[in-house]
Amino acid sequence: VQLQASGGGLVQAGGSLRLSCASSEGTFIDHSMGWIRQVPGKEREFVAYMTPFGGSTDYADSVKERFIISRDNAKNTAYLQMNNLKPEDTAVYFCAAVRGTYSGTIVREVSLYDYWGQGTLVTVSS
């Protein structure tokens, strides 16, 4: 599965951004999607997860109530709506995919995901 993330940019604290992750693969619908972020010099950090038909989601505690993951299987695209952004949200955001459906804490394991996009930079100024 090839993934292409976009939508990053510079935004003031309290603002919003929507990231997109497009796949050219017809098997997109077979894959759960995740968003993971990375601050330079730090390890990658789980942000959000969604099952193939959107029936189940999970979020890192730091983004709950502010970020929303969604997907449009007809467009082979996943999204991450980020609201009330904070300076600590500054990172490179990656979309990632894994075939099948998972539940529990395993969805927060970065090693779960087999396919990765190239990342898009989000910078939140204070």
Side-chain angles (χ1 to χ4, degrees):
V1 177
Q2 291 188 331
L3 304 172
Q4 179 81 25
S6 63
L10 174 64
V11 63
Q12 288 188 330
S16 298
L17 278 176
R18 188 177 81 156
L19 305 183
S20 298
C21 177
S23 172
S24 59
E25 300 286 334
T27 57
F28 178 80
I29 202 169
D30 296 331
H31 292 75
S32 293
M33 297 299 299
W35 287 95
I36 289 91
R37 67 187 181 187
Q38 186 173 27
V39 175
K42 294 189 177 181
E43 294 186 351
R44 292 185 177 185
E45 174 191 27
F46 167 79
V47 174
Y49 167 86
M50 175 172 272
T51 50
F53 291 95
S56 180
T57 58
D58 191 29
Y59 296 91
D61 291 343
S62 60
V63 307
K64 275 181 182 176
E65 309 300 332
R66 299 189 299 121
F67 290 12
I68 301 170
I69 187 172
S70 62
R71 62 191 295 163
D72 184 340
N73 288 336
K75 296 182 178 179
N76 289 347
T77 303
Y79 305 96
L80 184 68
Q81 177 67 42
M82 305 185 295
N83 301 319
N84 189 22
L85 282 160
K86 303 176 180 180
E88 52 264 43
D89 294 318
T90 295
V92 176
Y93 283 73
F94 299 89
C95 59
V98 58
R99 181 179 292 273
T101 300
Y102 298 83
S103 62
T105 58
I106 193 173
V107 306
R108 302 187 177 198
E109 296 292 333
V110 172
S111 59
L112 172 69
Y113 301 90
D114 297 318
Y115 307 97
W116 292 77
Q118 84 289 1
T120 185
L121 176 63
V122 172
T123 303
V124 184
S125 62
S126 56

